[in-house]
């Protein structure tokens, strides 16, 4: 059995590429990196990699992480700049015993020294959106924060190894050096090849309050299906946050176990893409259902056209 | 009931100061900040705050985090420089809905704009140790990494609120921008006033593989005593790491539940300090015992003298 699941419709082409690797008996780590690179490289996705929206100063600061579910090895970067593929940097860092999570200038320097491709990640389109928003904020005092669609991919290969990766430009108009959940183990991602993997997209500041990726993997390890684990962790914590803090930001989680079964849960409208040995690559839409369940439907041609 | 527990003997004076706050019906958040500030301010502790050992370039980069167990609010900084009390910055950030985790230059700028005390955190003593190590490395090609004693404090106040904080200068001779577990929710710390709190010290790269602070709080929520939760999480994960990765770095965890009961577990020799309504402030030594247990003994005058 093999399979992969990834966040948001933007990941669909990456899922198709990952599927080819996995179906050909390739490695789950290559599948994860390939899926995420596709999203990083595409200039019209505004929350990941090239074309991602910048921080309040117009600088595109990127976060990414990679985890090997066989060994628990983790690599991560936060606030990296001018590097084409943060996911590849995170993957390489995961092989280091020390210094495997690097932030800011130190992360960028590591990537440069290791020969990763440099690139001005601010596209003219992203710059225009940023300038427009600056003007809106000045005029109407709008809340400057908006958009936090991380790409995450979980993959299972035919050797029953699992890996997970994340990549994000973070909150649009974030403060310099702001970090969300994407590079944070347990909050943004977690994988254990003996159980399964999970990853998150949404408001990082709230996701790190709940360690939901770790919790979902743990629940799967306790015998829950991926769907039951997602429902229990996501809706349970959403309720906890509303009770304790009075509010909960948007968040959506994906999971796959080491049998290729998958699940998602979300407190908003959330699209994702999935492919397994039993299921052709497909995009679905998830929304919160009644009684802490999730409604999952194939997306329609109508939705895609709009 | 009130209580506080903190990592390493260096935290003892801080625990005594926190005890005065808690016994006087003060707030657990003030207790945590006070305990950790004491360690940050003391020039002869080589792994925290002022006097902490620098990175490979001689720059003291500091990590810290703060979590309110009532609301799950978290603030954190990583790679902050020239700021006297990173724990105070983390605490203030925990009040922000967005941008509550800041790294590198962005973290330092936030602290400066908010008026936190600036300070050259490199003491002449720390600089000498760094220069000596550089020479040793050049001469004998020693492993440059050594030392990662984070100060962590968990506190319970008489209103049954809990908080946790961490502060560290990270690995001595770390690469620029390296981040350990200390600012990472779930790995370095976690608190839920309905259950308890936990925090970690040790090799951050391994601690973030296990999310042990979250797991210990979760186990306490399942009905385990703090000691049983620590033993189970720490020795279980130490074994997992040895099986999967072939090795496990040093790590030690502390925990307290919302009744003031406490526990610790460690895979090395580990000192800590604790004070509760029932227990006068005391320093203990913990070592791994047989069958996934922990041996805890009061430290002797002989040990203190040496």
């Amino acid at each position: 059995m093999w399979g992969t699941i990834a966040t948001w419709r933007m990941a669909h082409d990456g899922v198709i590429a990952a599927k080819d690797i996995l179906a050909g008996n390739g490695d789950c780590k290559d599948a994860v990196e390939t899926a995420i690179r596709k999203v990083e490289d595409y200039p019209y996705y505004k929350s990941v990699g090239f074309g991602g929206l910048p921080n309040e100063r117009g600088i595109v600061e990127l976060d990414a992480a990679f985890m090997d579910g066989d060994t628990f090895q983790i690599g991560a970067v936060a606030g990296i700049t001018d590097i084409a593929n943060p996911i590849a940097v995170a993957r390489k860092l995961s092989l280091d015993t020390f210094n495997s999570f690097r932030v800011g200038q130190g992360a960028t320097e590591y990537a440069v020294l290791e020969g990763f491709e440099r690139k001005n990640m601010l596209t003219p389109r992203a710059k225009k959106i940023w300038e427009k928003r600056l003007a809106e904020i000045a005029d109407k005092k709008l809340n400057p924060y908006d958009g936090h669609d991380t790409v995450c991919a979980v993959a299972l290969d035919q050797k029953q190894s699992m890996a997970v990766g994340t990549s994000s430009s973070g909150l649009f108009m974030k403060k310099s050096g702001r970090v969300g959940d994407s590079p944070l183990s347990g909050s943004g991602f977690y994988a254990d090849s003996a159980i399964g993997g999970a990853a998150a997209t949404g408001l990082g500041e709230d996701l790190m309050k709940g360690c939901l990726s770790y919790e979902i993997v743990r629940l799967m390890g306790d015998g829950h299906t991926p769907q039951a684990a997602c429902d229990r962790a996501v809706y349970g914590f959403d309720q906890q946050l509303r009770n304790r803090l009075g509010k909960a930001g948007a968040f959506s989680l994906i999971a796959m176990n080491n049998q290729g079964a998958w699940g998602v849960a979300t407190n908003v409208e959330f699209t994702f893409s999935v492919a397994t040995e039993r299921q052709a690559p497909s995009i679905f839409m998830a929304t919160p259902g009644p009684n802490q369940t999730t409604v999952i439907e194939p997306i329609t041609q109508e939705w895609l056209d709009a």
Side-chain angles (χ1 to χ4, degrees), chain A residues 147-163:
Chain A
H148 36 62
D149 294 355
T150 299
V151 64
C152 311
V154 181
L156 163 72
D157 66 28
Q158 296 185 39
K159 297 179 192 72
Q160 212 173 58
S161 289
M162 299 196 73

Side-chain angles (χ1 to χ4, degrees), chain A residues 7-302:
Chain A
T7 53
W8 304 109
R9 185 214 162 173
M10 64 182 169
H12 190 57
D13 287 349
V15 163
I16 290 170
K19 173 204 73 113
D20 291 341
I21 292 170
L22 296 166
N25 200 19
D27 191 295
C28 60
K29 297 190 287 295
D30 294 332
V32 162
E33 181 179 341
T34 299
I36 290 178
R37 270 176 177 269
K38 285 251 176 210
V39 185
E40 288 178 339
D41 288 342
Y42 192 74
Y44 298 115
Y45 299 138
K46 292 183 288 184
S47 57
V48 177
F50 187 58
L53 295 178
N55 71 11
E56 58 169 355
R57 293 184 194 157
I59 307 298
V60 182
E61 292 187 331
L62 302 160
D63 303 338
F66 187 90
M67 183 168 188
D68 177 337
D70 288 350
T71 59
F72 302 118
Q73 285 171 300
I74 292 167
V77 292
I80 197 170
T81 53
D82 302 310
I83 298 296
N85 293 108
I87 187 64
V89 181
R91 180 178 178 181
K92 179 144 195 187
L93 281 168
S94 74
L95 301 175
D96 286 351
T97 301
F98 303 108
N99 302 292
S100 51
F101 187 175
R102 303 281 294 271
V103 302
Q105 188 59 26
T108 306
E109 287 172 12
Y110 168 85
V112 170
L113 286 169
E114 293 292 324
F116 286 94
E117 184 190 348
R118 302 200 75 167
K119 191 172 183 177
N120 182 349
M121 301 298 275
L122 184 71
T123 60
R125 178 171 175 259
K127 189 178 175 196
K128 258 183 210 150
I129 295 170
W130 170 69
E131 287 170 337
K132 184 160 168 269
R133 182 62 66 93
L134 279 183
E136 286 172 357
I137 294 165
D139 279 1
K140 303 174 213 159
K141 305 199 182 304
L142 294 176
N143 181 336
Y145 307 112
D146 187 20
H148 36 62
D149 294 355
T150 299
V151 64
C152 311
V154 181
L156 163 72
D157 66 28
Q158 296 185 39
K159 297 179 192 72
Q160 212 173 58
S161 289
M162 299 196 73
V164 59
T166 66
S167 183
S168 178
S169 53
L171 275 185
F172 178 33
M173 298 297 288
K174 66 187 175 186
K175 301 286 183 189
S176 171
R178 177 267 186 188
V179 174
D181 63 296
S182 301
L184 310 189
S185 166
S187 299
F189 63 91
Y190 200 74
D192 179 344
S193 298
I195 301 172
T201 173
L203 182 63
E205 284 79 357
D206 278 359
L207 280 161
M208 69 182 81
K209 296 181 174 81
C211 298
L212 296 183
S213 293
Y214 174 84
E215 178 66 10
I216 287 169
V217 173
R218 190 195 69 76
L219 286 165
M220 292 193 292
D222 261 7
H224 292 272
T225 65
Q227 187 57 50
C230 287
D231 286 345
R232 184 164 164 164
V234 168
Y235 302 121
F237 191 67
D238 178 80
Q239 193 56 57
Q240 277 266 49
L241 269 185
R242 289 176 202 280
N243 294 345
R244 300 281 194 95
L245 186 62
K247 60 188 172 183
F251 46 80
S252 308
L253 277 286
I254 59 171
M256 180 169 279
N257 69 16
N258 68 359
Q259 307 301 310
W262 54 268
V264 307
T266 177
N267 62 5
V268 290
E269 194 178 271
F270 168 60
T271 59
F272 61 99
S273 175
V274 62
T276 74
E277 204 173 313
R278 290 182 294 249
Q279 164 141 36
S282 310
I283 306 169
F284 294 92
M285 162 84 74
T287 46
N291 304 316
Q292 311 215 321
T293 60
T294 306
V295 177
I296 297 172
E297 295 171 302
I299 65 162
T300 58
Q301 195 57 48
E302 206 176 352

